[in-house]
Amino acid sequence: MAGPRHSRSALIFLIAAIVVALVSMPLLRAVGMVLWPVFAIAWLINLGAAWHLAQWARQQGRSAWAFGLPAVLGTVASIVVFVLLALLGPKPGSQSPAA
């Protein structure tokens, strides 16, 4: 049960990072503020997605670092990792731990 929870949480964090960036950019531009806080906030939210993606990879019997570390780099990389994990599925012979 923890596997679907981590994949769902990662997706929620990814959507939140994208929404924050899309909503904040025009708002900050309208009030004349610099845009770097948008990217900093979106990247911090993305760290949550990266952590959940690493946990999801570990539960599939894959290296948490191999998938989590690239996901830390940014939202686009996290989306790529999310799709890869979803497409690759659990390794043959790996057992998912009981919740």
Side-chain angles (χ1 to χ4, degrees), residues 4-99:
R5 182 180 52 120
H6 282 298
S7 65
R8 187 173 38 252
S9 296
L11 189 58
I12 290 168
F13 273 95
L14 288 173
I15 291 169
I18 292 167
V19 168
V20 164
L22 290 175
V23 170
S24 299
M25 278 212 292
L27 291 176
L28 287 176
R29 191 176 299 140
V31 296
M33 290 182 64
V34 294
L35 295 180
W36 70 263
V38 172
F39 301 108
I41 291 168
W43 188 75
L44 287 173
I45 294 170
N46 186 67
L47 288 178
W51 184 84
H52 283 289
L53 287 169
Q55 299 307 309
W56 187 22
R58 186 163 35 113
Q59 289 172 349
Q60 288 186 8
R62 302 181 186 283
S63 169
W65 285 105
F67 288 94
L69 192 58
V72 167
L73 298 176
T75 303
V76 173
S78 294
I79 292 169
V80 169
V81 169
F82 183 88
V83 170
L84 282 175
L85 284 170
L87 291 176
L88 295 175
K91 276 184 166 177
S94 70
Q95 295 182 6
S96 40

